[in-house]
Amino acid sequence: MSEDQCRFTGDARVLHGRAVRTPLPDEAAERLFYENMMTIADGQERKAELLADPDVPLLQAYELAFERIAESFKRRLRHIAGENYEDVAIAYCRGHRNDRLGELTSYYYEALWRIQQRPTITDMLFSPLIVRYPDSFTVNVRFATGYTTTESILYESPEHLTEELEDEHARTYHEESSYSQKQAAKYIKEAARIIRAEFPDPETTPFEERKYGGIVAAGGRRGTTFSSLLERVEPDRQRFTEPIDEPTLVDAGEEAKRTERELLCDGDVIL
């Protein structure tokens, strides 16, 4: 690892108010997009299984889901910049290069870096937005202050409790926590189904049935309380009028503005 990589600490300005628009010109691009979304859906299903298992610590399920998300970003980075994507991103961040490839790689690398920090951070909401259009898709990577949204499901983690409870209270708290995790598992399993429905297999689904789709997700933590959200998003069908030939950064669309208004709590700020 280079000296610059060791000093990397992130810069949210790379992400703020922007999204990556990626073209879907052929079967190979469609397949890569689909596989990335299925990686995320698989992670949600595995997380649900672990949450429903009383013998598995919540943190293990939480970290697994982020590992699957991180893998999808790594796959995208390799596709854009090759195996040396870290060097490309950091060179752009340090001002050593100023080109489209560096900018795109920096965006995804910043997202990956923040995702990898998430298991240890409290009061930081991760809220990605992914929208499919006929000839492209957009990814908005967003982080916000706070730990939940207006629609999130909440669940408790006894493993993160720092105070000592009396035996009776501890038993009650563990029972209530287990129940909340099982309810969350049901919700997250349904979230995986939504992902699969919004981004179906291009080999078995007619184009007319897959050319639009969208999801918004959000996850965070405050102390012992975790939050999760995933909902379908209606794409803005008038957003893009011209096709593109290569991935490019674009301004956040109406879908991003709408979900921020509807889901963020008072006082939360997109970083």
Side-chain angles (χ1 to χ4, degrees):
M1 181 178 291
S2 71
E3 183 179 355
D4 277 347
Q5 286 174 318
C6 291
R7 292 200 305 266
F8 185 76
T9 56
D11 185 350
R13 290 175 297 179
V14 173
L15 306 174
H16 185 68
R18 302 200 290 179
V20 176
R21 182 187 179 197
T22 302
L24 294 170
D26 52 34
E27 292 181 2
E30 289 262 9
R31 173 55 48 181
L32 178 62
F33 174 60
Y34 171 71
E35 289 175 353
N36 275 332
M37 296 312 302
M38 293 308 99
T39 294
I40 296 173
D42 290 345
Q44 293 290 306
E45 289 179 343
R46 183 56 179 154
K47 180 180 178 181
E49 292 174 1
L50 294 176
L51 278 175
D53 187 341
D55 295 326
V56 176
L58 185 150
L59 187 60
Q60 182 177 337
Y62 188 67
E63 290 179 340
L64 175 70
F66 278 104
E67 286 173 6
R68 295 295 178 91
I69 295 171
E71 181 54 41
S72 74
F73 277 89
K74 290 177 184 177
R75 187 178 299 171
R76 180 58 58 182
L77 279 162
R78 294 188 190 102
H79 182 71
I80 292 172
E83 291 297 329
N84 295 324
Y85 59 80
E86 297 100 329
D87 294 333
V88 174
I90 293 170
Y92 181 87
C93 291
R94 306 303 181 203
H96 299 160
R97 61 186 295 168
N98 185 24
D99 60 328
R100 183 192 64 86
L101 180 63
E103 186 178 44
L104 282 170
T105 307
S106 178
Y107 185 96
Y108 277 116
Y109 189 71
E110 177 73 20
L112 175 62
W113 181 80
R114 289 181 177 274
I115 288 167
Q116 291 173 330
Q117 309 303 309
R118 285 293 301 118
T120 62
I121 296 175
T122 188
D123 279 296
M124 182 69 71
L125 192 69
F126 171 50
S127 182
L129 170 68
I130 304 172
V131 184
R132 163 73 196 259
Y133 305 93
D135 62 355
S136 60
F137 68 94
T138 58
V139 175
N140 288 75
V141 179
R142 304 176 298 183
F143 294 85
T145 59
Y147 76 104
T148 187
T149 74
T150 58
E151 302 295 332
S152 296
I153 186 170
L154 303 180
Y155 48 106
E156 286 288 316
S157 171
E159 293 83 11
H160 289 79
L161 188 67
T162 57
E163 61 183 291
E164 291 288 335
L165 298 179
E166 303 220 0
D167 289 347
E168 182 177 349
H169 290 157
R171 184 168 54 253
T172 300
Y173 176 66
H174 277 74
E175 290 173 353
E176 292 175 347
S177 296
S178 178
Y179 177 78
S180 73
Q181 289 180 26
K182 290 179 180 178
Q183 294 301 109
K186 293 178 182 178
Y187 179 93
I188 292 168
K189 186 176 181 179
E190 173 62 16
R193 188 199 65 78
I194 293 172
I195 295 171
R196 297 186 188 282
E198 289 299 302
F199 309 109
D201 189 337
E203 293 185 4
T204 59
T205 308
F207 178 72
E208 289 298 316
E209 297 178 17
R210 70 173 194 272
K211 67 179 182 179
Y212 288 105
I215 59 166
V216 60
R221 173 173 73 90
R222 173 177 291 170
T224 63
T225 303
F226 288 70
S227 74
S228 184
L229 170 130
L230 191 140
E231 294 182 351
R232 179 183 181 277
V233 169
E234 180 63 33
D236 176 4
R237 303 195 176 206
Q238 306 303 317
R239 182 175 182 189
F240 298 117
T241 58
E242 298 293 334
I244 56 172
D245 297 325
E246 54 191 6
T248 184
L249 283 174
V250 297
D251 290 338
E254 180 55 37
E255 302 98 334
K257 299 172 186 175
R258 184 174 69 248
T259 53
E260 288 172 21
R261 289 194 306 267
E262 294 174 351
L263 297 176
L264 290 188
C265 301
D266 291 342
D268 288 351
V269 177
I270 289 286
L271 301 176

